Amino acid sequence: MNVSQDMELENKELILSKKFYKKLANERDKRKRELIVNKMKSFEIILLKSKSKSDIPKAIWIRRIVGTNIYKFRVNSGDRILFQYIEGEDENRILFLDFCNHDSQIRTAKNQVLCMSTVGLEIDDKYEYKEDDFDKEIDEEINNDIYGRLETLKQNSVIEDEYICVSIDEGDMEFLSFEQYECISNRNKQSDLILGCAGSGKTVVAIRKLILNKEENLKSIYITCSNMIVDRVKNLYYRFIEKDNMTSFYTLRNLCFEIIGLKNPIIIEYKDFYEWFFNYALVKEYTNKVDVREIWIEIFSLIKGTAGKKQNSKELEGIISEDEYYNSEESHHDLKTRKIIYRIARIYQYWLKNNKYYDDNDLAMLSLKKITSKYKYDYVIYDEIQDLTELQLNFIYSIARNVNNIMLIGDIDQSINISKLNLDFLKNMTYGSNLKLSEKFIIKNYRNGSETINWINAFKQIKFSKFKSMGKNFEQEEEYIKEGTKPKIIYNVKNQIKILSNVDEDVNSIIIVPDESDKKELEDMGYTLGRVFSVEDVRGLEYDNIYCYNILSKFNYIWEKVLSTNSKLEDIYRIYFNMVYIAVTRAKNKVVFIEKTTPVLDSVLEKHWDKVDYESEIAMNTDKMKIKPWYKGFMLGTKSSVQENEFDEDTSKAPEPESFKESAVASIGGFVGALISGGLVGGILGIEKVDEWSQEAEKLEKTENYYQAAYAYKKAGRQADAQRCLREHEVKLSYEVNIQN
């Protein structure tokens, strides 16, 4: 900083809170008042001139109040100045909050709403003064203020579980359960790991924590995996907060894009890996040796997901070395299989590199190299942590100024891209700073009905008995709040299309299959895939009715192994339980299993579901299937087969609502508003569903389920939007690889 900049700083007016200004104006001792002002000016100049914490003179005695972003500046033995370091658009300044002494009531300026973001100062112990009783008194008053806010929240917003269900049904997320409240009332200033079952309201906890952070003037960030969840959380947050530039909302990918400087890159997920695997001749030969999903998990979570902490390949950035992998205790495969998987990993990484594709580990690694102070936060919340690799977790911790101020939220029973969340890694991240990770569990499920949860608990008990325990808290049964009916199961289905076709007309129902191969199977039978989702596709979604196609019997070979052994299984097999769990817990009302063969697990779970005669169900729904849908002629194919001319209507613009209604009425031949109910599928066809299909399409587009979004847009009469989503879905991948040796 040059002389002119020094003079500019000296001539700037101090920024004082109203409370501070009033106290200073009322100071009768003029000499003392001038002394305080001069000290404040000198203090601000020195602090803003310092490029790093080592530049701060030892004589400047400052200390952060634990758990806040408020600092104390020691004027003398009896006086303290409370301040915040704030970041403006053009410059950084000091906001002086309060002046405290032994003769006055100690209160803070925590209720002030700042127009600028507060940032943290990193102060070494050698620059901090030794605290006396007066300092402790200040800290206690400030923390009492925080706890007072929690008590007010508890009195005004915590209600009984039954009323929580009602508020959720009405779309009102204003209230908290006692379980949820306990998750944000951490008074020990520890980082939080909050693990909750599906439908437990984990995201509501995040929203309430963000609101409390705003009241404490903390620069906070909420991160999750989906644009749909980000939009939902942001909208709910702004029901409570009118104006705020201190809280940021991102998907993890979008945050990485911004830090790295990437625009619209192609991101590779499991389903893209699956397509590449079966389209590239060099890796097809391994198909029968190792399950494709297990290969993906080994590469994603271990070979790439630990690249930040282990010795990397000298030849190829982004993967660990062969020796590291072959000697790893984290893999359950034998050496011969590891060599096959590592070979595939190398080819995969070259494929990404050659085509400038990225996966989520690549984004985390690149972001770690480019984090600046702009992306440092007082408080970090990550929602849906269960599929993060160690490399991604390392990135999350790296954007937090203080590892005490992190809240990680997730459900370990929904992890399918890694075999198991690495709790030891999380604990080491905090223990390394002489801190402790606070673990909290939410077991009340507000989404699924009683009989569905009984089925879930029976299913999870099999899982708990077959794997090494993670601790009793991780094996608690889920509790239901609302009543519900038993899941249904149809065995040995011969004409599944007749059953599944009913779902096409119901915006409140979907079909879930294990993976992409099952979609292809249905497509080969001539089935339209507009309401068919893989397990990968449905996380974060929920529907009244869920139809699980072949999701149990497909894994009969896994269940046979599970039931036949008395030994503890390798963690990789958890994913098969988790895939089923994700599918079933999407249902708010009804769950139906449609199985090609009898599931091996039937002998264990038979009392928890009702067996259904599918012939009688088809007969019951025959009349429904005779109704011609108004979108006649609309068919969708797979990612590789969708054609622009599949839409025979004018796609230049979506029809006006009235003209759409006329065509809809004509198309369904007078069945306007017909009520179709009973049997396995219920739903209302007709023009009343236009808005629902439109909302459904927008939701699916945000989750990047472009194919299904196109189908829903078509049902809503929004042709141009349907075409746009089809183009997104049709993004072509190059499957060739140029391997450099």
Side-chain angles (χ1 to χ4, degrees):
M1 188 173 289
N2 56 39
V3 176
S4 62
Q5 289 174 316
D6 283 348
M7 292 179 64
E8 186 179 344
L9 270 178
E10 288 174 5
N11 293 327
K12 284 185 179 294
E13 292 184 350
L14 297 172
I15 304 176
L16 311 179
S17 70
K18 290 181 180 179
K19 179 183 289 188
F20 199 126
Y21 180 82
K22 187 176 180 180
K23 281 189 177 181
L24 202 58
N26 290 337
E27 175 58 55
R28 294 180 180 180
D29 188 336
K30 183 179 178 181
R31 289 172 56 188
K32 183 176 181 179
R33 186 168 64 240
E34 291 176 349
L35 175 65
I36 292 172
V37 170
N38 289 333
K39 276 206 170 190
M40 289 163 61
K41 283 187 175 181
S42 300
F43 169 73
E44 181 174 42
I45 292 170
I46 292 171
L47 207 57
L48 294 180
K49 283 174 61 178
S50 301
K51 294 181 180 180
S52 66
K53 57 191 177 185
S54 59
D55 293 333
I56 301 173
K58 293 182 181 180
I60 301 295
W61 290 347
I62 57 178
R63 193 181 193 284
R64 182 198 282 248
I65 297 175
V66 177
T68 74
N69 207 32
I70 297 174
Y71 297 83
K72 294 176 292 190
F73 165 46
R74 181 174 180 172
V75 180
N76 53 49
S77 62
D79 298 310
R80 303 289 184 273
I81 290 174
L82 305 187
F83 71 94
Q84 286 182 314
Y85 188 73
I86 59 177
E87 192 176 66
E89 293 183 4
D90 301 319
E91 62 180 352
N92 298 333
R93 294 295 304 274
I94 302 297
L95 171 63
F96 295 97
L97 296 172
D98 205 356
F99 175 65
C100 305
N101 57 45
H102 282 301
D103 301 321
S104 63
Q105 180 85 17
I106 303 168
R107 289 291 182 265
T108 71
K110 294 178 63 63
N111 286 324
Q112 296 184 66
V113 177
L114 303 183
C115 60
M116 294 172 280
S117 299
T118 62
V119 296
L121 293 171
E122 299 181 41
I123 308 298
D124 279 342
D125 288 342
K126 64 183 179 180
Y127 297 112
E128 297 174 0
Y129 60 81
K130 186 177 180 180
E131 292 199 318
D132 56 24
D133 291 339
F134 181 43
D135 288 292
K136 294 175 183 178
E137 188 180 350
I138 293 173
D139 290 6
E140 184 178 354
E141 285 293 333
I142 287 178
N143 282 298
N144 283 341
D145 180 69
I146 296 171
Y147 301 148
R149 295 176 193 278
L150 287 171
E151 286 302 315
T152 301
L153 175 64
K154 185 176 182 179
Q155 292 173 17
N156 295 337
S157 300
V158 177
I159 60 176
E160 298 293 336
D161 295 319
E162 292 77 8
Y163 298 108
I164 293 288
C165 278
V166 173
S167 70
I168 291 173
D169 289 341
E170 294 179 352
D172 185 356
M173 307 295 285
E174 183 178 347
F175 300 102
L176 288 169
S177 69
F178 290 100
E179 233 184 0
Q180 293 163 350
Y181 170 77
E182 286 300 314
C183 292
I184 59 174
S185 60
N186 183 356
R187 299 192 176 195
N188 295 320
K189 305 305 177 186
Q190 300 169 334
S191 58
D192 291 302
L193 174 63
I194 298 171
L195 298 175
C197 63
S200 60
K202 300 182 290 293
T203 300
V204 176
V205 172
I207 294 167
R208 281 296 183 174
K209 185 61 180 176
L210 289 171
I211 293 168
L212 288 171
N213 288 351
K214 171 64 172 63
E215 292 174 353
E216 295 177 34
N217 295 324
L218 296 177
K219 180 184 177 184
S220 302
I221 184 171
Y222 171 87
I223 314 170
T224 189
C225 57
S226 152
N227 284 313
M228 180 197 72
I229 300 175
V230 166
D231 285 354
R232 185 172 67 201
V233 169
K234 189 186 295 186
N235 290 335
L236 289 170
Y237 176 78
Y238 284 115
R239 286 188 190 179
F240 299 91
I241 303 297
E242 291 184 3
K243 182 181 179 182
D244 179 24
N245 62 354
M246 297 178 64
T247 308
S248 301
F249 301 86
Y250 285 93
T251 63
L252 181 56
R253 286 180 184 171
N254 286 341
L255 178 60
C256 290
F257 294 164
E258 190 173 304
I259 291 173
I260 300 167
L262 289 174
K263 292 186 178 179
N264 303 316
I266 291 178
I267 305 301
I268 301 302
E269 302 174 328
Y270 168 70
K271 56 188 176 184
D272 304 305
F273 177 85
Y274 180 94
E275 285 190 24
W276 169 75
F277 191 94
F278 287 107
N279 276 280
Y280 182 53
L282 191 58
V283 295
K284 285 177 70 173
E285 62 185 275
Y286 302 125
T287 305
N288 296 323
K289 297 178 182 178
V290 192
D291 182 86
V292 182
R293 183 173 286 278
E294 292 184 24
I295 293 173
W296 164 257
I297 288 172
E298 192 84 349
I299 294 172
F300 184 75
S301 64
L302 180 53
I303 297 176
K304 294 198 68 176
T306 62
K309 71 171 187 177
K310 296 184 177 180
Q311 180 182 349
N312 288 358
S313 166
K314 294 180 181 178
E315 165 205 350
L316 192 58
E317 185 180 20
I319 64 174
I320 61 176
S321 67
E322 286 180 90
D323 288 342
E324 278 281 4
Y325 176 54
Y326 295 159
N327 295 312
S328 173
E329 296 181 358
E330 298 172 44
S331 174
H332 76 281
H333 295 293
D334 58 34
L335 182 58
K336 182 178 179 181
T337 305
R338 292 191 198 198
K339 288 184 176 180
I340 293 173
I341 294 175
Y342 194 82
R343 171 67 171 158
I344 296 171
R346 287 183 67 254
I347 300 171
Y348 168 67
Q349 192 65 5
Y350 271 119
W351 175 57
L352 297 177
K353 182 179 178 181
N354 294 164
N355 293 284
K356 295 184 179 179
Y357 301 154
Y358 304 86
D359 64 19
D360 289 309
N361 282 309
D362 297 321
L363 295 179
M365 179 168 281
L366 290 170
S367 298
L368 278 166
K369 297 176 181 178
K370 294 193 173 184
I371 296 174
T372 63
S373 59
K374 177 182 176 181
Y375 298 102
K376 290 284 189 176
Y377 296 88
D378 300 325
Y379 203 97
V380 176
I381 298 177
Y382 191 93
D383 193 359
E384 304 292 355
I385 189 183
Q386 61 270 3
D387 268 329
L388 294 189
T389 64
E390 292 179 16
L391 190 56
Q392 292 173 295
L393 288 169
N394 192 17
F395 168 72
I396 296 300
Y397 273 86
S398 296
I399 62 174
R401 290 198 177 93
N402 183 345
V403 294
N404 259 343
N405 291 346
I406 295 178
M407 178 180 282
L408 304 173
I409 304 172
D411 180 1
I412 58 174
D413 292 319
Q414 295 190 52
S415 175
I416 58 173
N417 281 318
I418 59 176
S419 57
K420 185 178 71 172
L421 181 65
N422 193 335
L423 293 174
D424 290 336
F425 179 83
L426 292 178
K427 291 175 181 178
N428 288 337
M429 292 294 286
T430 51
Y431 291 168
S433 303
N434 296 317
L435 304 170
K436 189 176 181 180
L437 184 67
S438 171
E439 297 174 6
K440 293 186 173 69
F441 300 84
I442 313 177
I443 60 173
K444 291 178 181 176
N445 184 325
Y446 298 95
R447 180 187 300 155
N448 305 121
S450 55
E451 294 294 342
T452 299
I453 291 178
N454 288 338
W455 187 95
I456 289 169
N457 285 332
F459 182 69
K460 289 172 78 171
Q461 282 305 317
I462 303 171
K463 177 182 175 181
F464 296 153
S465 68
K466 296 299 179 178
F467 295 94
K468 184 178 178 181
S469 176
M470 297 174 67
K472 289 185 178 180
N473 285 331
F474 294 88
E475 298 175 1
Q476 299 179 76
E477 289 194 347
E478 296 182 22
E479 296 181 9
Y480 65 84
I481 306 300
K482 65 181 184 180
E483 296 296 326
T485 58
K486 276 187 179 182
K488 298 181 180 181
I489 185 165
I490 307 173
Y491 296 155
N492 306 315
V493 174
K494 303 302 180 187
N495 196 343
Q496 47 269 66
I497 301 303
K498 283 189 177 181
I499 297 175
L500 297 178
S501 294
N502 292 281
V503 182
D504 295 344
E505 306 306 316
D506 190 359
V507 72
N508 298 308
S509 303
I510 62 168
I511 300 159
I512 301 179
V513 298
D515 59 32
E516 301 304 307
S517 64
D518 302 279
K519 286 185 182 179
K520 185 67 167 64
E521 176 187 309
L522 289 175
E523 185 194 22
D524 290 343
M525 294 179 187
Y527 186 69
T528 300
L529 301 178
R531 299 302 284 165
V532 179
F533 297 76
S534 70
V535 173
E536 291 274 347
D537 298 331
V538 296
R539 284 179 295 179
L541 299 175
E542 61 180 23
Y543 291 88
D544 286 349
N545 310 305
I546 295 296
Y547 297 83
C548 300
Y549 175 67
N550 209 32
I551 206 160
L552 290 172
S553 53
K554 173 162 185 167
F555 301 128
N556 271 344
Y557 70 101
I558 296 292
W559 314 134
E560 286 173 357
K561 183 170 184 175
V562 167
L563 296 179
S564 63
T565 182
N566 292 323
S567 303
K568 298 298 182 183
L569 294 169
E570 299 290 345
D571 285 329
I572 190 67
Y573 296 110
R574 291 177 185 269
I575 64 168
Y576 299 101
F577 285 90
N578 294 352
M579 290 172 71
V580 175
Y581 178 81
I582 290 171
V584 172
T585 55
R586 301 308 95 193
K588 294 189 287 185
N589 182 19
K590 185 189 299 182
V591 178
V592 181
F593 295 97
I594 302 171
E595 302 292 336
K596 291 195 293 184
T597 60
T598 302
V600 169
L601 292 178
D602 183 52
S603 59
V604 184
L605 298 172
E606 60 180 346
K607 70 177 182 180
H608 295 289
W609 51 32
D610 289 331
K611 299 177 183 178
V612 178
D613 180 353
Y614 82 96
E615 292 290 352
S616 63
E617 291 294 335
I618 290 175
M620 189 181 300
N621 291 290
T622 298
D623 291 338
K624 290 189 295 182
M625 291 182 286
K626 288 180 180 177
I627 297 174
K628 288 288 184 181
W630 54 262
Y631 63 93
K632 182 181 177 182
F634 172 56
M635 291 290 289
L636 287 171
T638 61
K639 189 171 190 175
S640 59
S641 64
V642 176
Q643 302 296 325
E644 291 282 338
N645 60 12
E646 285 178 345
F647 294 91
D648 50 11
E649 293 88 351
D650 178 13
T651 62
S652 60
K653 67 173 185 176
E656 296 298 323
E658 289 305 316
S659 64
F660 165 70
K661 289 181 181 179
E662 291 172 6
S663 63
V665 171
S667 179
I668 64 176
F671 282 93
V672 179
L675 177 65
I676 308 299
S677 61
L680 286 177
V681 180
I684 300 174
L685 292 175
I687 58 175
E688 291 85 354
K689 287 294 183 181
V690 173
D691 287 343
E692 289 187 34
W693 279 113
S694 189
Q695 292 171 18
E696 170 74 352
E698 291 168 1
K699 175 179 70 178
L700 293 177
E701 185 174 3
K702 288 175 183 176
T703 60
E704 299 182 9
N705 286 303
Y706 295 115
Y707 183 75
Q708 295 88 342
Y711 182 89
Y713 275 129
K714 176 66 181 181
K715 299 278 277 183
R718 295 169 60 175
Q719 313 295 344
D721 291 323
Q723 286 288 2
R724 187 190 69 253
C725 284
L726 282 178
R727 287 191 291 272
E728 288 287 344
H729 174 76
E730 270 196 304
V731 172
K732 301 293 185 183
L733 298 178
S734 169
Y735 296 117
E736 293 305 311
V737 185
N738 177 24
I739 301 178
Q740 304 161 11
N741 283 318

